[in-house]
Amino acid sequence: MMEQKLAELKERLSEVNDLNMAGAVLGWDQQTHMPPGGAAARGRQMATLGRLSHEKFTDARVGQLLDDLQAYGESLPYDSDDASLIRVVRQQYERLIKVPSSLLSQITTHASESYQVWAEARPANDFAKTRPYLEKTLDYSRQMADCFPGYDHIADPLIDFSDQGMKATDIQRVFGELRQQLVPLVQAIAEREPIDNSCLHQPYPEAEQLAFGTAVATAFGYDFQRGRQDKTHHPFAIKFSIGDVRITTRVDENNLADCLFSTLHEAGHGMYEQGISLALEQTTLNSGTSAGVHESQSRLWENVVGRSRGMWGHYYPQLQAAFPTQLGSVPLDTFHRAINKVQPSLIRTEADEVTYNLHVMIRFDLELALLEGKLAIKDLPEAWHARYQSDLGLHAPSDVNGVLQDVHWYGGLIGGAFQGYTLGNILSGLFYDQALQAHPTIPDEIGQGQFGTLHNWLIENIYQHGSKLTANELIERVTGGPLRIEPYMAYLRGKFGDLYQL
Ligand code: ZN
């Protein structure tokens, strides 16, 4: 009887999954190969698939099956695929049915209008033009949170959409500790001689850049038999099935770092998705568990491994061979320092490993202040400048490189969009530290261009679970304790202490 109901639930979820993945193919094509003339029809096609998927998933029959299966699910081992499916789908289901579809469609319409206004206001440095839209966005964000009464902090339900179970006050505490340690580190680095990274800014032909990046991604463990790479303005990773996880990159022929590190970053996201257990394929558990855990994998491969001295000890001669005129006479140390240059800047997406988190925490704190009603939209540009002054010692000459720089608040809700980036950095240090405790030989292997032990440890401990476990559950299982910043800070202090002789 229960087996029958479970089979019916799985059958329904399998159809939802097919619709979602078909929508993903359309979205991938839209951003990679679609001619401009396809835009209008494509938008409609994707909206139709999204609506069908939403209708199928929120069908009352799914709720009935989940009710009927609840006790059965609780009788199974917590980590089993079936218990996890019933538990996690119930959470996803409740999250979706609590939001009235009228509110959802108002938000969608508003977000696309707001995005259009931002796209025009940004180059014109016209924050005032976006202000009424942002005020409405803030109002919608509060309405969305209020669909989930009983929260501790108004941002909690919004954070839940991307980092389920992470609470605003916990994140605030962890970020507060991190900020307290990062600001003096950034200041100490700023007092040192700046690193010369001019070796990265020479003419580097596109074909060789792409070939080198994909060679390293392949060595890391990204499987091109189950993936491919295309070019887009904003790199991303996207999944159609566990057997088809694609990545994109971009090339700047005068900046070697752009294509290389965006490739390694997206390969990290892709390897997470490729490493999910095949048993979860047709369920809704077949994707990474949260924004923060996902970002921990892209950052781990991009930064912890990809910008390490050990890895380049192995790969630098190959890079020099690929670019003999550009790098033939540049020593390894010069190159390694160049790819790790720290410099406080105004732009989040161009920030280095150390200062990046300060950009994110500024946005997170401002989001909370807005949602709490402690900050008004009209005062947002000044609040932004004040935090950049105190945290990074910089003042943007305009709002273009200030509050208008990121799309997030202008094309979605205010709340929940930023914390994942810094949670990811913290987790990259935490998970890597655990992998090293289990396998102390990992750094030596990386120094020989071998990544299998690390990759297998990540598959075993993180990737295979898909979204069976929440981020907090995963952290607890893997590290035996809650989220903490010490391993990440120790990593930063060790690496940048050496590089800048602190
Ligand atoms: Zn990422």
Side-chain angles (χ1 to χ4, degrees), residues 325-352:
T325 53
Q326 297 91 332
L327 294 174
S329 59
V330 176
L332 168 59
D333 275 335
T334 305
F335 172 77
H336 180 242
R337 288 169 63 78
I339 59 171
N340 286 294
K341 178 183 173 119
V342 176
Q343 186 169 44
S345 70
L346 292 166
I347 311 291
R348 174 182 64 87
T349 55
E350 293 168 9
D352 57 79

Coordinates of all heavy atoms in Angstrom, one line a residue, residues 325-352:
T325 N 55.7 33.1 -25.4 CA 56.2 34.5 -25.5 C 55.7 35.4 -24.3 O 56.4 36.3 -23.8 CB 55.7 35.2 -26.8 OG1 54.3 35.0 -26.9 CG2 56.4 34.6 -28.0
Q326 N 54.5 35.0 -23.8 CA 53.9 35.8 -22.7 C 54.5 35.5 -21.4 O 54.7 36.3 -20.5 CB 52.4 35.6 -22.6 CG 51.6 36.1 -23.9 CD 51.5 35.0 -24.9 OE1 52.3 34.0 -25.0 NE2 50.4 35.0 -25.7
L327 N 54.7 34.2 -21.1 CA 55.1 33.7 -19.8 C 56.5 33.0 -19.7 O 56.9 32.7 -18.6 CB 54.0 32.8 -19.2 CG 52.7 33.4 -19.0 CD1 51.7 32.3 -18.6 CD2 52.7 34.4 -17.9
G328 N 57.1 32.8 -20.8 CA 58.4 32.1 -20.9 C 59.4 32.6 -19.9 O 60.1 31.8 -19.3
S329 N 59.5 33.9 -19.7 CA 60.5 34.5 -18.8 C 59.9 34.9 -17.5 O 60.6 35.6 -16.7 CB 61.2 35.6 -19.5 OG 60.3 36.6 -19.8
V330 N 58.6 34.6 -17.2 CA 58.0 35.0 -15.9 C 58.1 33.9 -14.9 O 57.7 32.8 -15.2 CB 56.5 35.3 -16.1 CG1 55.8 35.6 -14.8 CG2 56.3 36.5 -17.1
P331 N 58.8 34.1 -13.8 CA 59.0 33.0 -12.8 C 57.7 32.5 -12.2 O 56.7 33.3 -12.1 CB 59.9 33.6 -11.8 CG 60.4 34.9 -12.3 CD 59.5 35.3 -13.4
L332 N 57.6 31.3 -11.8 CA 56.4 30.7 -11.1 C 55.9 31.6 -10.0 O 54.7 31.9 -9.9 CB 56.7 29.3 -10.6 CG 55.7 28.6 -9.7 CD1 54.4 28.5 -10.3 CD2 56.2 27.2 -9.3
D333 N 56.8 32.1 -9.1 CA 56.4 32.9 -8.0 C 55.7 34.2 -8.4 O 54.7 34.6 -7.8 CB 57.6 33.2 -7.1 CG 57.9 32.1 -6.1 OD1 56.9 31.3 -5.8 OD2 59.1 31.9 -5.7
T334 N 56.2 34.8 -9.5 CA 55.6 36.0 -10.0 C 54.2 35.7 -10.4 O 53.3 36.5 -10.1 CB 56.4 36.6 -11.1 OG1 57.8 36.7 -10.7 CG2 55.9 37.9 -11.6
F335 N 54.0 34.6 -11.2 CA 52.7 34.2 -11.7 C 51.8 33.9 -10.5 O 50.6 34.4 -10.4 CB 52.8 33.0 -12.6 CG 51.5 32.5 -13.0 CD1 50.7 33.1 -13.9 CD2 51.0 31.3 -12.4 CE1 49.4 32.6 -14.3 CE2 49.7 30.8 -12.7 CZ 49.0 31.4 -13.7
H336 N 52.3 33.1 -9.5 CA 51.4 32.7 -8.4 C 51.0 33.9 -7.6 O 49.9 34.0 -7.1 CB 52.2 31.7 -7.5 CG 51.4 31.3 -6.3 ND1 51.8 31.5 -5.0 CD2 50.2 30.7 -6.3 CE1 50.8 31.0 -4.2 NE2 49.9 30.5 -4.9
R337 N 51.9 34.9 -7.4 CA 51.5 36.1 -6.7 C 50.5 36.9 -7.5 O 49.6 37.4 -6.9 CB 52.8 37.0 -6.4 CG 53.7 36.4 -5.3 CD 55.1 37.1 -5.3 NE 54.9 38.5 -4.9 CZ 54.8 38.9 -3.7 NH1 54.7 38.1 -2.7 NH2 54.7 40.2 -3.5
A338 N 50.7 36.9 -8.8 CA 49.8 37.7 -9.7 C 48.3 37.2 -9.6 O 47.4 38.0 -9.5 CB 50.2 37.7 -11.1
I339 N 48.2 35.9 -9.6 CA 46.8 35.3 -9.5 C 46.2 35.4 -8.1 O 45.0 35.1 -7.9 CB 46.7 33.9 -10.0 CG1 47.6 32.9 -9.2 CG2 47.1 33.8 -11.5 CD1 47.4 31.5 -9.5
N340 N 47.0 35.9 -7.1 CA 46.5 36.0 -5.8 C 46.6 37.5 -5.3 O 46.5 37.7 -4.1 CB 47.2 35.1 -4.8 CG 46.8 33.6 -5.0 OD1 45.6 33.3 -4.7 ND2 47.7 32.8 -5.5
K341 N 46.7 38.4 -6.2 CA 46.8 39.8 -5.8 C 45.5 40.3 -5.0 O 44.4 40.0 -5.5 CB 47.0 40.7 -7.0 CG 47.0 42.2 -6.7 CD 47.2 43.0 -8.0 CE 47.1 44.4 -7.7 NZ 48.2 45.2 -8.1
V342 N 45.7 40.9 -3.9 CA 44.6 41.5 -3.1 C 44.6 43.0 -3.3 O 45.7 43.6 -3.1 CB 44.8 41.1 -1.6 CG1 43.7 41.8 -0.8 CG2 44.8 39.6 -1.4
Q343 N 43.5 43.5 -3.6 CA 43.4 45.0 -3.8 C 41.9 45.4 -3.5 O 41.0 45.0 -4.3 CB 43.8 45.4 -5.2 CG 43.8 46.9 -5.3 CD 44.5 47.3 -6.6 OE1 44.2 46.7 -7.7 NE2 45.3 48.3 -6.6
P344 N 41.7 46.1 -2.4 CA 40.3 46.6 -2.2 C 39.8 47.4 -3.4 O 40.5 48.2 -4.0 CB 40.5 47.6 -1.0 CG 41.7 47.1 -0.3 CD 42.6 46.6 -1.4
S345 N 38.6 47.0 -3.9 CA 38.0 47.6 -5.1 C 36.6 47.9 -4.8 O 36.0 47.5 -3.8 CB 38.2 46.7 -6.2 OG 37.3 45.6 -6.1
L346 N 35.9 48.6 -5.8 CA 34.5 48.9 -5.6 C 33.6 47.9 -6.1 O 32.4 47.9 -5.8 CB 34.2 50.2 -6.3 CG 34.9 51.5 -5.7 CD1 34.9 52.6 -6.7 CD2 34.3 51.9 -4.4
I347 N 34.1 46.9 -6.9 CA 33.2 46.0 -7.7 C 33.3 44.6 -7.1 O 34.3 44.0 -7.1 CB 33.6 46.0 -9.2 CG1 33.7 47.4 -9.7 CG2 32.5 45.2 -10.0 CD1 32.4 48.2 -9.8
R348 N 32.2 44.1 -6.6 CA 32.1 42.7 -6.1 C 32.7 41.7 -7.0 O 33.5 40.8 -6.6 CB 30.7 42.4 -5.7 CG 30.5 41.0 -5.1 CD 29.0 40.7 -4.8 NE 28.2 40.7 -6.0 CZ 28.0 39.7 -6.8 NH1 28.5 38.5 -6.6 NH2 27.2 39.8 -7.9
T349 N 32.2 41.7 -8.3 CA 32.5 40.5 -9.1 C 34.0 40.6 -9.6 O 34.4 39.6 -10.1 CB 31.6 40.6 -10.4 OG1 31.8 41.8 -11.0 CG2 30.2 40.3 -10.1
E350 N 34.7 41.7 -9.3 CA 36.1 41.7 -9.7 C 37.0 41.6 -8.5 O 38.2 41.7 -8.6 CB 36.4 43.0 -10.4 CG 35.7 43.1 -11.8 CD 35.8 44.5 -12.4 OE1 36.5 45.4 -11.8 OE2 35.1 44.8 -13.4
A351 N 36.4 41.3 -7.3 CA 37.1 41.3 -6.1 C 38.0 40.1 -5.9 O 37.6 39.0 -6.4 CB 36.2 41.5 -4.9
D352 N 39.1 40.2 -5.2 CA 39.9 39.0 -4.9 C 39.3 38.2 -3.8 O 38.3 38.6 -3.1 CB 41.3 39.6 -4.5 CG 41.2 40.5 -3.3 OD1 41.1 40.0 -2.2 OD2 41.2 41.7 -3.5

